[in-house]
Amino acid sequence: MAKRKSLSTAAQGSAGTPTPLPLPPFDDDPAPPSKRRASQRKVSHPKVNTGSTNPNKNANVLDAPEALRASPDASEQDERMNLEAAGMDVENQVKEQDDDSPLSDLSDSVSPIKAKAVESKSKTSASAKKGPKAESETKPAAAAKAKKDMSTELQFLDPEADGDEEADEEEIQAALSRPPPVNSDYLPLPWKGRLGYACLCTYLRFSNPPVFSSRTCRIASIIENRHPLRDPNEPPHATKNRPDREQPADVGRGQAFVESLGIANAKDIVKMLRWNDRYGIKFLRLSSEMFPFASHSEYGYKLAPFVSKELAEAGKVAAELGHRLTTHPGQYTQLGSPRKSVIESAIRDLDYHTELLSLLKMPPQQDRDAVMILHLGGVFGDKAATLDRFRENYAKLPQGVKDRIVLENDDVSWSVHDLLPLCEELNIPMVLDFHHNNIIFDGSQIREGTKDIMDLYPRILATWRRKNITPKMHYSEPTPAAITGRQRRKHNPRVATLPPCPPDMDLMIEAKNKEQAVFELMRTFKLPGYDTFNDIIPHVRKDDNKPIKTPKKKTPKKKKAAKTENELEAAEEAIEAEEHPVQQTITNDEVGMGGSEGRVYWPPGMEHWLRPVKRVVKPREPKDETKMTSAQQKKAAAEAANEGAKVEEEAHVNGIKEEGVAVATTPTPASKKAKSVPKKPTSKATGKKAANGAKKNAKSVPTPSMTDGDEDGDEPMADFEEEEVEAQKKSKPGGKAVSKRQSGRAKKMSYAEDEDDEEG
């Protein structure tokens, strides 16, 4: 049997001269006593700074894709909740589907067909004969073909990996013409069983800080973290403090990083269990990706002893609350494959899951109920031969693994009638999946729907009771728009009803909305716990302790006096405490628990309610040459005003000059000068404007004096236009202009003379 590498084995073979590292602080084994330095009494251990395990703060921490989906069976991307609407950066935060898969270490000839393997081998030998140059030329093509063959192998090994191709007309017609399903009208009420969901609680995942047990990473991150940080005294940072690749690598550092993710995942199980118990959920499927790459052929490791304490604590809480915990190994764990490498990977994966469940150390009955759900896998062209290979490989497994294996009917190849005889033969419990049974079933023995399958309940339940294990079933529903069998494989975000199962059944709801699908059933049928939760307030959470930011107080600058280092540190701490006070009203145990009102339910399609309102930053508009900024507009307005004033002044001055020339060239008697000027109706505004213009331009205007030789004093001054009067008041006989001060005196003298004339 293939064994996973132990922790000590994985820590060997580092590149360069390894830097000795102490055992992690979470190791239960006592570390050897360190030597004391003469200069200090305290014993100092250099710590490996693995950074934050919060994916919002550490780009190396990713979400496992299987935990986000409705079930490991569902490999399509749309088989998970709308993560984008919930505020997750899917492209950067979710690990890609086939990254670092267990099949990544397979040979280049991945096709299971023997002829293709021979063909690829002959091509490789032919390229070797041509020489290194020819071989280098054929490498890109060979790599592309190998990649294509790998994708073919993945689909061949994984019956759930079909693409999202559109169904053709014949397939649609065949699906529409199939006999209608025959469903039972029985409802298991009053409900006495346990409802559960798979791997992830959406409310806790999007709380702050996030709580979930499916943190993972890429192998590249493990390799990178083997190098020490540029500044070991500072926490890791994506740009400012990254691992220094120029320094020698140590496998222990990379191992400490991946183990820190597993410890964080194990600790969050406790929070998830207590959250579930508060809202009446007592059944949880643990994520298979809780410990990244634990079953990998090269980077694998044992869970004990580094995480034994955290898993034992989780098992203690589950036993205290009476919860059931199970697992569901991924799609690559297949014991019926014709390939030896796939079988070895499957055995390593089963061994890892068995160790995980055993370290929970739950009471005997709960320990027996902690099973591993397994699919038989592909058919590989021959069902009988695949069943024989499964029997052979199953017989080689250790008894601890056999005690936990459970087989489930799938929606591609293996029906209930295919697996039930095998389970009865090998003493393996069988999980009935209602959704899968409506797609793949033996049409010669039962009809589609939930009614006929009920006749097989006694045989199915007997497979569980023979091993004294509590039975469980799976339920999900297809999307309403699904027509063909391939389309009906996709899980609906929530379910509308309960299946006709026994009322004391442990029922796993495989839906994209996880715990929200369970809440939906509770509300619909008034199941136990339906009155413990309420709708969340959109974009608002009252179960988090958030820092209260206060505006900085502006203080006048003073001369800085010389301070000691202690005084400076105390001042900085005081300023920081003043700027970021925290209102400690919610204890750590209550953070993320929904508050006193239990506001943890979000309606269908309202994933965006889980996050605060996103600030919409308007993009800058492209620069338009015709559009000016406010400063440019003010400048242009000022220039336009100046230009207008100049034009006005010039027009006014030119008009006065023309009138003055006309008067000088045609001498008239003084007695008739007033009569020769016609009256023009002018407004006050026009007069003032003209007067202002005249004041600005004190130029000589050759006009005759109005007082010299004025024989007819009977003619009133109102016969003249105001602007002519003002111009004449400012001028002397001879045409010389006077200053503004002189013009003012002349104006007063002119009024005084008028008064004397009136008195006389």
Side-chain angles (χ1 to χ4, degrees):
M1 184 187 72
K3 294 184 178 180
R4 293 178 291 134
K5 294 185 177 181
S6 64
L7 185 63
S8 58
T9 308
Q12 297 176 359
S14 59
T17 305
T19 304
L21 293 174
L23 292 173
F26 40 75
D27 201 334
D28 291 336
D29 294 339
S34 302
K35 295 181 179 180
R36 294 188 179 184
R37 297 180 183 178
S39 59
Q40 60 182 10
R41 294 182 178 181
K42 293 182 179 180
V43 180
S44 61
H45 288 286
K47 293 183 179 180
V48 180
N49 197 341
T50 57
S52 173
T53 57
N54 187 341
N56 300 329
K57 298 181 179 180
N58 191 344
N60 290 329
V61 182
L62 305 175
D63 278 75
E66 285 188 7
L68 295 169
R69 297 196 298 263
S71 169
D73 319 329
S75 59
E76 294 85 357
Q77 289 187 356
D78 57 353
E79 282 283 12
R80 61 194 182 202
M81 64 176 287
N82 191 349
L83 301 174
E84 293 84 356
M88 183 184 290
D89 184 1
V90 176
E91 185 176 352
N92 296 322
Q93 283 189 255
V94 180
K95 188 178 174 184
E96 293 182 7
Q97 175 64 29
D98 293 327
D99 276 3
D100 311 319
S101 71
L103 297 179
S104 60
D105 57 346
L106 298 183
S107 59
D108 292 336
S109 69
V110 294
S111 175
I113 302 176
K114 193 173 183 180
K116 289 187 176 181
V118 174
E119 184 181 356
S120 62
K121 186 177 179 181
S122 63
K123 286 185 178 180
T124 306
S125 60
S127 61
K129 290 180 182 179
K130 291 180 181 179
K133 185 177 180 181
E135 186 177 357
S136 63
E137 292 176 355
T138 58
K139 274 185 178 180
K145 188 175 186 303
K147 188 175 181 181
K148 183 178 179 181
D149 290 343
M150 176 61 76
S151 63
T152 305
E153 171 70 3
L154 293 179
Q155 291 188 7
F156 186 72
L157 292 176
D158 173 24
E160 310 287 348
D162 290 344
D164 279 338
E165 300 176 2
E166 294 183 0
D168 54 19
E169 188 176 352
E170 293 182 1
E171 188 178 1
I172 293 175
Q173 290 298 329
L176 291 174
S177 62
R178 76 180 191 274
V182 181
N183 294 313
S184 171
D185 57 358
Y186 169 76
L187 284 174
L189 299 176
W191 179 256
K192 300 177 183 178
R194 292 179 286 194
L195 294 176
Y197 62 92
C199 306
L200 184 89
C201 176
T202 64
Y203 185 86
L204 288 176
R205 172 59 186 86
F206 292 100
S207 62
N208 186 23
V211 177
F212 65 117
S213 61
S214 53
R215 298 170 181 84
T216 187
C217 64
R218 297 186 178 92
I219 288 179
S221 299
I222 300 176
I223 297 174
E224 183 182 26
N225 279 275
R226 290 177 176 178
H227 300 273
L229 295 172
R230 294 173 185 172
D231 187 355
N233 298 323
E234 295 293 330
H237 192 273
T239 56
K240 298 179 182 178
N241 196 21
R242 294 182 61 85
D244 189 357
R245 292 180 176 273
E246 295 181 358
Q247 297 188 35
D250 192 302
V251 175
R253 288 193 181 91
Q255 186 65 25
F257 165 71
V258 73
E259 288 177 359
S260 68
L261 301 182
I263 292 174
N265 289 334
K267 286 182 177 179
D268 279 355
I269 296 175
V270 175
K271 186 85 169 184
M272 295 172 68
L273 290 173
R274 296 199 181 279
W275 192 94
N276 289 346
D277 190 71
R278 176 170 294 190
Y279 299 108
I281 301 174
K282 296 182 176 293
F283 187 12
L284 177 65
R285 177 187 295 167
L286 299 178
S287 172
S288 295
E289 297 167 299
M290 188 185 303
F291 299 97
F293 306 105
S295 63
H296 197 276
S297 59
E298 182 179 355
Y299 301 95
Y301 50 90
K302 291 286 186 180
L303 305 184
F306 81 90
V307 76
S308 300
K309 180 181 177 181
E310 288 75 13
L311 288 177
E313 179 64 22
K316 179 181 178 182
V317 173
E320 172 191 339
L321 302 176
H323 288 208
R324 183 174 188 175
L325 301 177
T326 62
T327 60
H328 194 326
Q331 56 200 14
Y332 301 113
T333 306
Q334 302 182 28
L335 293 175
S337 173
R339 303 200 57 189
K340 183 179 179 181
S341 55
V342 176
I343 298 300
E344 291 175 352
S345 296
I347 294 175
R348 287 197 307 270
D349 198 43
L350 293 173
D351 184 36
Y352 150 67
H353 283 84
T354 301
E355 183 184 15
L356 190 161
L357 296 173
S358 299
L359 288 175
L360 294 172
K361 299 186 181 303
M362 292 185 291
Q365 184 59 51
Q366 285 179 291
D367 184 57
R368 284 193 298 271
D369 292 345
V371 296
M372 303 182 295
I373 313 300
L374 200 64
H375 287 290
L376 197 58
V379 176
F380 307 104
D382 189 344
K383 276 191 174 183
T386 302
L387 290 173
D388 289 339
R389 285 190 298 270
F390 179 87
R391 291 186 183 95
E392 179 183 354
N393 294 320
Y394 178 80
K396 299 176 183 177
L397 297 175
Q399 190 60 41
V401 176
K402 290 181 180 179
D403 291 341
R404 298 190 186 275
I405 284 183
V406 173
L407 289 180
E408 177 190 0
N409 60 307
D410 61 57
D411 53 1
V412 176
S413 304
W414 301 95
S415 67
V416 174
H417 287 89
D418 292 326
L419 295 183
L420 189 54
L422 179 68
C423 291
E424 292 172 335
E425 174 190 347
L426 300 178
N427 195 21
I428 300 174
M430 180 190 159
V431 173
L432 171 62
D433 190 301
F434 289 93
H435 180 206
H436 295 169
N437 182 69
N438 284 337
I439 301 172
I440 297 297
F441 57 92
D442 189 346
S444 63
Q445 302 190 54
I446 60 174
R447 296 168 294 180
E448 179 185 345
T450 59
K451 185 176 179 60
D452 291 355
I453 194 64
M454 294 177 69
D455 296 337
L456 294 177
Y457 281 3
R459 292 177 60 188
I460 293 172
L461 297 177
T463 61
W464 294 88
R465 289 167 181 156
R466 283 188 299 181
K467 300 183 76 169
N468 197 19
I469 301 176
T470 306
K472 68 186 292 281
M473 293 182 178
H474 295 174
Y475 184 71
S476 55
E477 294 173 356
T479 56
I483 298 175
T484 66
R486 181 170 49 184
Q487 293 172 347
R488 286 187 294 136
R489 288 171 52 196
K490 295 181 181 179
H491 298 69
N492 209 32
R494 304 190 185 190
V495 294
T497 187
L498 287 167
C501 62
D504 59 348
M505 181 61 61
D506 286 350
L507 189 63
M508 175 60 62
I509 305 300
E510 296 183 327
K512 293 191 285 188
N513 287 170
K514 306 293 184 176
E515 83 287 351
Q516 301 297 320
V518 177
F519 287 160
E520 205 72 43
L521 280 177
M522 287 181 175
R523 280 192 168 183
T524 302
F525 297 101
K526 300 293 188 293
L527 303 183
Y530 80 95
D531 54 350
T532 59
F533 56 88
N534 293 293
D535 291 13
I536 66 174
I537 301 174
H539 313 293
V540 176
R541 293 208 181 196
K542 296 184 177 181
D543 55 358
D544 291 339
N545 285 323
K546 297 180 180 179
I548 305 171
K549 294 184 179 180
T550 56
K552 295 182 180 179
K553 296 180 180 179
K554 294 184 179 180
T555 54
K557 293 184 179 179
K558 298 180 180 179
K559 292 183 179 180
K560 295 181 180 179
K563 294 183 179 180
T564 62
E565 292 184 1
N566 294 336
E567 290 177 350
L568 290 173
E569 289 179 1
E572 289 177 358
E573 291 177 359
I575 292 172
E576 187 176 355
E578 184 180 355
E579 292 179 355
H580 301 286
V582 178
Q583 186 179 2
Q584 295 290 349
T585 58
I586 304 173
T587 62
N588 292 333
D589 293 339
E590 292 298 320
V591 170
M593 299 298 288
S596 59
E597 297 176 340
R599 293 186 176 275
V600 295
Y601 170 84
W602 48 272
M606 296 298 161
E607 292 91 341
H608 57 284
W609 285 11
L610 291 167
R611 284 295 183 98
V613 178
K614 189 175 182 181
R615 292 183 179 179
V616 179
V617 180
K618 294 182 179 180
R620 290 185 177 180
E621 297 180 359
K623 291 184 178 180
D624 189 0
E625 296 180 357
T626 59
K627 190 174 181 180
M628 296 183 294
T629 61
S630 58
Q632 291 174 340
Q633 289 175 357
K634 290 179 181 179
K635 186 177 179 182
E639 291 177 354
N642 293 335
E643 290 293 331
K646 288 180 181 179
V647 170
E648 240 179 69
E649 291 171 3
E650 290 176 1
H652 175 65
V653 171
N654 291 338
I656 294 177
K657 283 184 177 181
E658 288 175 2
E659 289 181 5
V661 172
V663 171
T665 52
T666 53
T668 358
S671 60
K672 298 180 180 180
K673 285 174 185 175
K675 293 180 180 180
S676 64
V677 181
K679 292 182 180 180
K680 294 182 180 179
T682 58
S683 64
K684 292 182 180 181
T686 308
K688 288 179 181 179
K689 192 173 183 183
N692 294 337
K695 285 179 183 179
K696 290 179 182 178
N697 300 282
K699 297 183 180 179
S700 61
V701 181
T703 54
S705 173
M706 298 297 295
T707 57
D708 294 347
D710 190 1
E711 297 175 357
D712 301 327
D714 299 330
E715 296 294 331
M717 293 293 292
D719 291 336
F720 291 94
E721 293 186 20
E722 291 184 17
E723 68 180 46
E724 291 179 347
V725 173
E726 292 293 335
Q728 290 181 20
K729 284 179 181 180
K730 293 177 183 180
S731 61
K732 281 185 178 182
K736 291 184 179 180
V738 295
S739 64
K740 290 183 180 179
R741 187 173 182 183
Q742 291 174 342
S743 175
R745 288 177 182 175
K747 187 174 181 181
K748 289 179 182 178
M749 290 173 64
S750 130
Y751 282 115
E753 290 174 356
D754 291 343
E755 291 174 359
D756 293 338
D757 292 341
E758 289 177 2
E759 291 175 1

